[in-house]
Amino acid sequence: MAGLGRGVVSTGLLDAKAMKTTLHSLARFRYLASLMGVPEPTTVATAAVRQASNGPAFLASVRSLGLNVALLSGDEEAEAAGYGVIAGIEDAKGIVGDLGGGSLELARVENGKVLERESFPLGVLRLSLIREIGEGELRKEVKKLFKPKGWMDFGKGLPFYLVGGSWRSLARIHMYMARYPLPIVHHYAMAGTAPASLVRAIARLDRNLLKENNIVTGARYPTMVDAAALLWEIRRLLQPSAYIVSATGLREGLHYRQLSDSEKSLDPLIEAARAEGELHGRFPGHGDLLDRWISPLFSQDSSSDRRLRLAACLLGDIGWAANPDFRAERGLEVALHGNWLGIDARGRAMIGQALFAAFGGGNERPAILRKLATEEELKCAQNWGLAIRLGQRLSGGVAAPLKQSGVSVSGDRLVLTIKGDVELLLGDAVERRLRQLGNAIGKAPEIGRT
């Protein structure tokens, strides 16, 4: 819709060529959706169509394709962006800013709800026109729009969540400058002072270099200066603690609003990890059982770390079909580059370290993980992985051996207790993995029988 937005800003009309291209894309979308068995896909129009004098004619053309398109108001657009962030970032609390071509939507989010929301005529394609009037003009305009309804007070000291292609591109530039090792923009966090460095960097970075490294597309680059300038004004007026990028926005928010309360309460990371584990593991339900089996060893874990540990257990059998020499790398890749929501870089690193150890990586710390989490955090995750590795070897991936055994710490001992016929479950490999885990946590291994 960027082409449509550009036409509105310059002429008040949707650009004819862009309309034709968009209608073709929508017709293709409608056809493919029908082949996928989706009888009525959700279709919405946003600021560009709202603001254009020929917007109603465009909507009529869209409806003629068989798409029931809804024209969102500014408040509805802001609300959807807010719920999109809630859907993708655990415990989001702060201000969501969705920067499009024709408008900027703000929404305050807290406790899984979208509270205040508003749409402003500050789309990235309008910013250059404002700034051309004179130095300081953008600052005055943003303050004039934000102050009357309290936006300058809502977000002080809280994160500002960045939604929209222009701000994601700014984040990629920041990642490039910081030599950030993970090519995942979702949940990337920048310090509150980041806008100043971005404004300076964009003025001096080579455009071709950014394009060649797939950091910013040629079409997006012209908007970068203005997007950074707006972020700088938001820094001055709203005083956020940090900027957190969200790859989920309006589209995901529209879907999230349709979910039941029980569905909204589900943890996206845990549900995705469970689905991945069921798809690629050998036996259904094994990950949850494995987490309960190892949990007595990690009673001091925080609630957030218990969540990561459960995700690691749910993924604890995904490497079984890989070449044995590459199982550790397989686990690391899934954790770091999987399409996970509700998790930051530290969380990815801890799950990655756990799976790396669970699949035979031993005590090694992959270099990329040391850039994303502390040594203490990685040590904790490694111990999860070694416990997972012991449980998998003992059980062979099935439930019964875990149900008739337990692992615990008693004083200076790591005790593996087995009920019934001990000799059928024990073996050199099990005892070796018990010793390895004992050495890692500083406890002498012991086998108990009941």
Side-chain angles (χ1 to χ4, degrees), residues 250-296:
L250 182 144
R251 178 180 58 189
E252 292 77 15
L254 291 171
H255 176 66
Y256 183 82
R257 289 192 308 180
Q258 298 174 23
L259 300 177
S260 66
D261 288 343
S262 60
E263 289 170 327
K264 289 177 182 176
S265 70
L266 296 174
D267 185 323
L269 171 64
I270 298 305
E271 295 306 309
R274 181 172 287 116
E276 187 79 3
E278 297 288 316
L279 179 64
H280 296 291
R282 291 168 290 179
F283 302 103
H286 188 70
D288 290 287
L289 180 58
L290 187 59
D291 182 62
R292 290 194 295 271
W293 191 79
I294 71 171
S295 63

Side-chain angles (χ1 to χ4, degrees), residues 51-373:
Q51 297 162 4
S53 59
N54 60 343
F58 175 73
L59 292 177
S61 297
V62 174
R63 293 184 179 112
S64 72
L65 300 174
L67 291 168
N68 185 23
V69 60
L71 178 61
L72 299 182
S73 68
D75 277 5
E76 289 172 326
E77 192 174 346
E79 182 182 54
Y83 277 119
V85 170
I86 288 169
I89 296 180
E90 185 193 19
D91 299 329
K93 180 181 178 180
I95 305 299
V96 172
D98 184 359
L99 181 60
S103 64
L104 168 70
E105 278 69 46
L106 295 184
R108 184 165 75 89
V109 298
E110 185 175 356
N111 295 326
K113 300 292 184 183
V114 175
L115 304 174
E116 296 84 0
R117 64 263 196 187
E118 194 167 353
S119 180
F120 301 94
L122 292 171
V124 70
L125 299 173
R126 296 178 179 276
L127 298 178
S128 60
L129 301 179
I130 298 172
R131 297 177 69 221
E132 285 172 3
I133 297 173
E135 185 175 352
E137 195 64 30
L138 179 61
R139 181 170 304 164
K140 288 190 292 184
E141 183 69 11
V142 173
K143 187 174 183 179
K144 181 182 74 173
L145 292 169
F146 283 4
K147 189 173 182 178
K149 296 189 178 180
W151 286 101
M152 291 169 61
D153 300 316
F154 289 152
K156 286 184 178 179
L158 295 173
F160 188 90
Y161 298 94
L162 302 173
V163 176
S166 294
W167 274 342
R168 284 196 297 272
S169 294
L170 281 182
R172 290 191 180 95
I173 291 174
H174 193 273
M175 290 163 71
Y176 175 75
M177 292 163 47
R179 300 182 182 276
Y180 185 66
L182 194 62
I184 305 291
V185 72
H186 182 67
H187 220 305
Y188 179 70
M190 298 182 286
T193 55
S197 60
L198 282 168
V199 168
R200 292 192 297 268
I202 291 169
R204 68 173 188 269
L205 284 174
D206 183 83
R207 175 174 180 172
N208 291 326
L209 181 66
L210 296 176
K211 184 177 179 181
E212 289 167 5
N213 286 277
N214 296 316
I215 299 166
V216 179
T217 65
R220 184 72 66 182
Y221 186 84
T223 68
M224 291 295 92
V225 172
D226 296 320
L230 178 60
L231 200 61
W232 171 245
E233 300 307 332
I234 286 172
R235 162 66 177 165
R236 286 175 48 83
L237 298 175
L238 270 62
Q239 300 177 37
S241 60
Y243 303 91
I244 300 176
V245 185
S246 177
T248 55
L250 182 144
R251 178 180 58 189
E252 292 77 15
L254 291 171
H255 176 66
Y256 183 82
R257 289 192 308 180
Q258 298 174 23
L259 300 177
S260 66
D261 288 343
S262 60
E263 289 170 327
K264 289 177 182 176
S265 70
L266 296 174
D267 185 323
L269 171 64
I270 298 305
E271 295 306 309
R274 181 172 287 116
E276 187 79 3
E278 297 288 316
L279 179 64
H280 296 291
R282 291 168 290 179
F283 302 103
H286 188 70
D288 290 287
L289 180 58
L290 187 59
D291 182 62
R292 290 194 295 271
W293 191 79
I294 71 171
S295 63
L297 301 178
F298 305 107
S299 59
Q300 300 304 311
D301 284 351
S302 66
S303 59
S304 60
D305 281 355
R306 287 197 297 270
R307 174 175 175 265
L308 297 175
R309 191 186 70 218
L310 172 57
C313 287
L314 293 170
L315 297 169
D317 203 28
I318 60 168
W320 75 272
N323 184 300
D325 292 335
F326 295 96
R327 285 176 183 164
E329 287 75 10
R330 160 75 172 151
L332 186 63
E333 193 277 329
V334 168
L336 290 181
H337 302 137
N339 190 24
W340 311 117
L341 297 178
I343 186 172
D344 59 10
R346 168 192 176 273
R348 286 176 181 266
M350 291 187 72
I351 294 176
Q353 182 68 69
L355 295 180
F356 189 79
F359 297 149
N363 296 324
E364 183 182 344
R365 300 277 194 278
I368 187 173
L369 301 184
R370 294 197 298 270
K371 298 177 181 179
L372 301 173

Side-chain angles (χ1 to χ4, degrees), residues 290 294 312-313 316 354 358 383-393:
L290 187 59
I294 71 171
C313 287
N383 293 342
W384 298 344
L386 294 176
I388 291 170
R389 187 168 173 80
L390 171 62
Q392 293 289 48
R393 173 56 70 179

